[in-house]
Amino acid sequence: MIWSSHSWRTLLSVALLSHLATALPAVEHATSAAANICNGRSEYCSRPYSEVTFVGSHDSAFVGELPQQNQNIDVTAQLNMGIRFLQAQTHHSLIDKNVLELCHTSCLLEDAGTLESYLRTIKTFLDANANEVVTLLLTNGDSVDITEFNEAFASSGIDRYAFVPSSNPLPLESWPTLGQMISQGTRLVVFLDYGANTAKVNYILDEFAYYFETPYDVTDSSFSGCSIDRPSGASPSGRMYIVNHFLDVDIFGVKVPDRTAASSTNAATGKGSIGAQAAVCQSLYNRTPNVVLLDFVDKGSAIQAQNALNGV
């Protein structure tokens, strides 16, 4: 039999359609299976973002053994151990005022590199881990215009993952579930403490429109309080909340992270633990914290405490 070119095209089309019909269910099954795990737990997929407790890394970029450094392991290692909320301080570079650096109070004291480099590190993690939602809280110590932050996010490429709320501020009951955020590809939530302007940059959200915070620079190892520190005079109603559960020690009038107490401070239970302070907070606000910020996240039982607070 002699096959015409039309016959060959018909045969190839039938074969291609047959292959797609066989392959599509497998692809659909793979997508469905992936959506069953969110931030490492199946239980989180159906839970709204505003009803999840995250243990977070306070001053996540300042890594080392010096007094002003708050973490022992770098950001990639923090993400790999399960931390999904990262806080960092930003300031203008002393060398180039067009560049944002991660600096502790002053770039003369501690400079952990550019914001863009930091964001690229987080993007690398998001690229490789499609079922993870990460939150970033930045401080704006130099009152930098929001467009400069946008430039760093765009240059790093991480803005493609940014979550944009349907209204602003988004009511607590209107947050999507982690599963929805993952399926929509909006897996990075960004907050800025001062200077946010969603009319200019719609994905960098005003921290204090969404959260209140407990006091920081705490030197009481029992962490017996959970009062509202910022924003001043705020009502807890309608806001998520951040518990600053990192212990400082006062050395000649200067407060520095208490590295030696980290294992007990970051314990899941016991006096002065994550669980103990969270219980105090829950008794005041009738809900668990949304974020518990820690120094030295690799010490103690941060992820165990997170699981307990989420009831998983």
Side-chain angles (χ1 to χ4, degrees):
M1 178 181 296
I2 299 175
W3 291 81
S4 67
S5 60
H6 174 75
S7 299
W8 277 113
R9 286 196 298 270
T10 301
L11 182 62
L12 287 171
S13 298
V14 170
L16 179 60
L17 288 171
S18 176
H19 173 74
L20 288 173
T22 303
L24 282 174
V27 172
E28 182 180 352
H29 175 74
T31 302
S32 174
N36 286 333
I37 300 295
C38 303
N39 281 27
R41 308 282 311 196
S42 60
E43 297 92 338
Y44 295 154
C45 290
S46 60
R47 193 173 298 187
Y49 176 92
S50 57
E51 296 179 15
V52 178
T53 298
F54 300 93
V55 292
S57 174
H58 170 242
D59 282 340
S60 59
F62 306 137
V63 179
E65 299 180 357
L66 296 176
Q68 73 273 16
Q69 293 167 330
N70 302 78
Q71 301 297 333
N72 293 318
I73 58 176
D74 65 24
V75 168
T76 297
Q78 293 170 33
L79 290 166
N80 287 339
M81 72 167 278
I83 299 297
R84 296 292 175 269
F85 192 105
L86 301 169
Q87 184 268 343
Q89 297 185 36
T90 67
H91 291 269
H92 267 141
S93 167
L94 295 176
I95 299 172
D96 185 347
K97 293 299 183 182
N98 294 315
V99 175
L100 284 172
E101 301 271 336
L102 300 179
C103 299
H104 198 309
T105 309
S106 164
C107 291
L108 292 172
L109 175 65
E110 175 76 12
D111 189 336
T114 66
L115 174 60
E116 182 180 338
S117 176
Y118 177 77
L119 295 174
R120 287 185 185 277
T121 297
I122 301 169
K123 179 181 181 293
T124 297
F125 176 83
L126 289 171
D127 289 343
N129 296 273
N131 285 28
E132 304 295 327
V133 176
V134 172
T135 303
L136 181 57
L137 169 58
L138 297 175
T139 68
N140 186 7
D142 291 343
S143 299
V144 174
D145 188 84
I146 193 64
T147 56
E148 294 188 44
F149 286 92
N150 183 52
E151 289 169 6
F153 276 80
S155 295
S156 71
I158 201 172
D159 58 335
R160 62 173 287 220
Y161 290 118
F163 169 76
V164 178
S166 56
S167 63
N168 191 39
L170 191 64
L172 285 178
E173 65 276 8
S174 299
W175 279 88
T177 65
L178 294 197
Q180 289 169 332
M181 296 171 79
I182 288 168
S183 66
Q184 293 163 9
T186 54
R187 301 187 288 114
L188 179 72
V189 188
V190 185
F191 297 98
L192 187 68
D193 65 344
Y194 299 108
N197 183 343
T198 52
K200 288 185 177 180
V201 182
N202 62 1
Y203 62 87
I204 300 181
L205 310 179
D206 178 357
E207 176 195 358
F208 297 119
Y210 285 90
Y211 290 100
F212 66 86
E213 283 192 22
T214 67
Y216 57 95
D217 287 342
V218 174
T219 56
D220 171 16
S221 62
S222 67
F223 287 97
S224 56
C226 198
S227 61
I228 298 175
D229 182 63
R230 296 187 298 171
S232 177
S235 167
S237 178
R239 285 184 172 91
M240 298 180 283
Y241 72 103
I242 297 172
V243 175
N244 288 309
H245 188 81
F246 44 91
L247 186 65
D248 284 352
V249 58
D250 192 316
I251 301 177
F252 302 115
V254 178
K255 293 178 180 178
V256 299
D258 193 341
R259 189 182 299 270
T260 60
S263 292
S264 56
T265 300
N266 296 350
T269 59
K271 184 178 179 180
S273 66
I274 297 169
Q277 188 178 17
V280 172
C281 299
Q282 188 168 5
S283 70
L284 287 175
Y285 307 116
N286 297 314
R287 51 196 170 101
T288 55
N290 297 90
V291 183
V292 181
L293 281 181
L294 308 174
D295 285 339
F296 313 116
V297 294
D298 59 315
K299 299 298 182 183
S301 307
I303 302 304
Q304 180 185 339
Q306 177 177 269
N307 290 342
L309 291 171
N310 284 302
V312 298

